């Protein structure tokens, strides 16, 4: 579980660039760091309620980090560093069963995968993708073209062809969703690569999360549909 201390609510006002936003916190306008460099156009709408973490360093230029956004009744974590953290905990606690030699950031061939481990004596590689795009309970990835994402998938295909275990884990940074699919309309190359990966034996996994203003934890598996239906752009994870 990712835990955040010193969380406070705020009202989002605007986003001058991808790194900072203006948020009203306790009646004062604050310049906050946005922990996601994606566009977040459908999430970060003027007037929406957000949750920010007060920085431990009082001298930091931006005194808060923007962590989560309320989208109607749904709370969405947009911290782009959180999916890898909760994925590592999920793996270590038996999410894929017993694994050994779990390591982050492992190079194999021309790819750097988020995790490597040994499972049933077989070397394995796993790539994590954070998902924040949702419409009517259906989630999609990506919401902006990502050549890097397609490269990771093709690296997993090669690893699988070499006899390794290969996985991609979509960490959906919200709860109570019904399905996940690749966003063919936004990035047909990634969607095609995901289908190629599945056909080659790469295991495609999606998990939603239990989200509160001060925590994120992997929760339940989500059905994956590889048809690649379209979805409207939301918060990019590149």
């Amino acid at each position: 579980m990712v835990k955040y201390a010193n969380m406070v609510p705020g009202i989002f006002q605007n986003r001058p660039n991808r790194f900072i936003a203006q948020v009203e916190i306790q009646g004062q306008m604050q310049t906050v760091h946005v922990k996601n460099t994606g566009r977040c156009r459908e999430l970060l709408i003027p007037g929406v309620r957000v949750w920010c973490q007060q920085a431990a360093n009082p001298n930091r230029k931006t005194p808060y980090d923007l962590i989560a956004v309320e989208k109607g009744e749904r709370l969405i974590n947009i911290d782009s560093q959180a999916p890898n953290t909760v994925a590592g905990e999920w793996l270590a606690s038996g999410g894929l069963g017993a694994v050994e030699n779990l390591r982050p950031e492992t190079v194999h061939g021309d790819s750097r995968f988020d995790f490597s481990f040994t499972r049933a004596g077989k070397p394995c590689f796993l790539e994590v993708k954070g998902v924040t795009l949702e419409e009517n309970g259906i989630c999609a990835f990506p919401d902006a073209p990502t050549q890097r994402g397609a490269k990771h998938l093709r690296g997993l295909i090669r690893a699988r062809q070499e006899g390794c275990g290969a996985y991609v884990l979509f960490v959906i940074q919200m709860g109570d969703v019904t399905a996940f699919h690749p966003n063919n309309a936004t990035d047909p190359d990634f969607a095609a690569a995901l289908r190629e990966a599945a056909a080659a034996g790469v295991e495609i996994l999606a998990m939603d999360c239990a989200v509160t203003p001060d925590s994120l934890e992997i929760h339940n598996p989500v059905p994956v549909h590889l048809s690649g239906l379209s979805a409207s752009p939301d918060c990019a994870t590149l």
Side-chain angles (χ1 to χ4, degrees):
M1 176 187 294
V2 174
K3 289 287 292 181
Y4 302 95
N6 303 319
M7 295 295 290
V8 295
I11 303 298
F12 175 81
Q13 301 298 321
N14 61 74
R15 189 178 185 184
N17 60 53
R18 63 179 182 161
F19 301 106
I20 61 171
Q22 300 294 323
V23 176
E24 181 183 337
I25 297 175
Q26 298 176 346
Q28 294 187 341
M29 196 63 64
Q30 300 283 353
T31 299
V32 309
H33 172 61
V34 180
K35 297 196 74 173
N36 190 312
T37 57
R39 293 189 297 260
C40 302
R41 289 175 180 168
E42 292 189 1
L43 289 178
L44 296 179
I45 299 170
V48 301
R49 194 178 197 219
V50 297
W51 288 88
C52 300
Q53 181 181 35
Q54 188 169 11
N57 179 2
N59 298 317
R60 206 180 78 168
K61 186 175 180 180
T62 50
Y64 296 91
D65 292 313
L66 200 164
I67 300 295
V69 183
E70 294 184 6
K71 182 184 179 186
E73 297 183 356
R74 189 183 300 276
L75 181 62
I76 301 176
N77 179 295
I78 65 167
D79 180 357
S80 61
Q81 297 174 356
N84 276 40
T85 301
V86 295
E89 293 174 349
W90 179 76
L91 285 167
S93 65
L96 281 178
V99 301
E100 299 178 328
N101 306 314
L102 178 63
R103 292 193 302 159
E105 298 293 328
T106 302
V107 174
H108 180 78
D110 64 351
S111 296
R112 180 185 293 274
F113 297 117
D114 290 318
F115 294 97
S116 67
F117 51 90
T118 303
R119 184 184 184 198
K122 179 188 292 187
C124 300
F125 300 95
L126 181 143
E127 184 66 18
V128 179
K129 301 297 181 189
V131 179
T132 58
L133 172 55
E134 174 273 337
E135 187 173 359
N136 298 321
I138 298 175
C139 296
F141 181 94
D143 57 8
T146 170
Q147 293 182 349
R148 181 169 171 263
K151 179 178 181 292
H152 285 148
L153 293 176
R154 295 189 169 108
L156 288 171
I157 292 172
R158 288 191 292 274
R160 187 70 185 89
Q161 292 169 342
E162 294 166 4
C164 301
Y167 306 81
V168 57
L169 172 63
F170 293 95
V171 176
I172 298 169
Q173 294 173 251
M174 67 196 86
D176 299 320
V177 299
T178 57
F180 167 84
H181 63 80
N183 193 349
N184 189 69
T186 294
D187 193 340
D189 184 51
F190 180 88
L194 189 65
R195 289 189 285 270
E196 291 168 13
V202 177
E203 294 194 41
I204 315 300
L205 310 168
M207 302 288 295
D208 72 5
C209 289
V211 183
T212 71
D214 63 358
S215 69
L216 180 79
E217 184 176 20
I218 286 182
H219 194 210
N220 291 318
V222 174
V224 175
H225 301 295
L226 295 176
S227 56
L229 304 174
S230 63
S232 58
D234 193 347
C235 183
T237 305
L238 302 177

